[in-house]
Amino acid sequence: MDRGAAPDAQVDGRRRIARTDVLLADPRLAEAAGRLGRGVVKAAVVAAQRRARSGEIPPDAVAAAAVAALPETAAGLRPVINATGVLLHTNLGRAPLSDAAREAVAVASGGTDVELDLETGRRARRGRTALAALLERVPQAEAAHVVNNGAAALVLAATALAPGKEIIISRGEMVEIGDGFRIPELLAATGARLREVGTTNRTAPEDYAAAVGDGTGLILKVHPSNFRMTGFTRAADVAELTGLGVPVVADIGSGLLAHEPLLPDEPDAASMLKAGAHLVTASGDKLLGGPQCGLVLGRDDLVRRLARHPLARALRVDKLTLAALEATLRGPRTPTGEALHADPAVLRERAGRLAARLRDRDVDAAAVESEAAVGGGGAPGVVLPSAAVSLPEPYAARLRRGAPAVMGRVEDGRCLLDLRSVPPGLDGALADAVAAAR
């Protein structure tokens, strides 16, 4: 008898589900529509109605379920706590912006004087204050230019300085920079011809000198970034190439502006320019700790050739990037810098406190020593001593699906939350996320 009555009860329950327009009039959902957009809120309402029709939630819980399912913003990107121990994790957006940079972006998101001189009311140079900040940090450069990423900086240099000419490059520097993009293919796409010199493991200054001729556009030095070559090797230094009569472009990749004692083998812009490089190209969202952009630093006449090339317009950055870059350059130490210089003893203390806090919440947690890395193609092989919270392996998947999402790493059947890549201010949020993932 009960089985025969179930369909009628089910139909009656579906009839009790409020109509979409009624639900959208709920004050909580109406407010959210003004903040997130009607389409986003309606999608959450429809999904909640579907759950009610399937019997997953009661009909009178639809509005509350829709409210709970609303995203924080109208964009699809979700916040993630980076507990991988990789400071510059490409899949997580590389360098997290500093508070100063975030505030600058918020100010620049409205109307701003990005190309206007407020004194005269006339057009002004785009991004002039960000460029000034960059030159203050690298006084060895006569001029600077900013494009939308590191690869774009290299492409613009090749296009402007070597159209239809040869770019001389060592065979040992014909690298792949990630996601299948290879330096030879990138440069060939500009129309320049590549002239490979030396061998995979050894290239001497004489190899470059023998290749220079009337058809040479530039000599390119590429930092291998994401790998190391050891043993019977030889590479020509920038200083050994600057007297060959053609521009020397040094692509340092990681965006380090000055020498960093913790990373003694990582090239930096100031040192390359001191050594005689005519141009240096780099990324802004790696060790610099800023937004995604490409930096060009060096001789004034060469930088002007790049900046006035028609391709520069297609590669230029927006006002938000310029604001974030300037705040990164002028502001306090970035989250990337803080993580790089974190004291291992402090990391161990944090891990111990966090593990004890989690055990009090019935979580199988232990503080362990770990090893972190720079990431983002920077400082390959450099090990940063760190500390982590060790959890059962199933936590890795649960934490990824949580809110906020947490990305750790799995080693030896345990999920490790490495604290070198987690700002101290997020320890509480991390503990709550782990407790919620039980």
Side-chain angles (χ1 to χ4, degrees), residues 39-91:
V40 172
V41 175
K42 184 177 179 181
V45 167
V46 171
Q49 289 173 320
R50 190 178 301 115
R51 292 176 63 193
R53 291 190 188 99
S54 68
E56 185 181 340
I57 59 175
D60 57 2
V62 172
V67 170
L70 290 173
E72 292 185 16
T73 71
L77 292 176
R78 294 176 55 196
V80 180
I81 296 177
N82 177 12
T84 63
V86 179
L87 308 191
L88 299 169
H89 199 299
T90 298
N91 301 135

Side-chain angles (χ1 to χ4, degrees), residues 21-47:
D21 58 339
V22 173
L23 289 165
L24 290 172
D26 181 291
R28 298 167 295 175
L29 294 168
E31 181 277 330
R35 179 168 48 87
L36 301 173
R38 192 174 187 276
V40 172
V41 175
K42 184 177 179 181
V45 167
V46 171

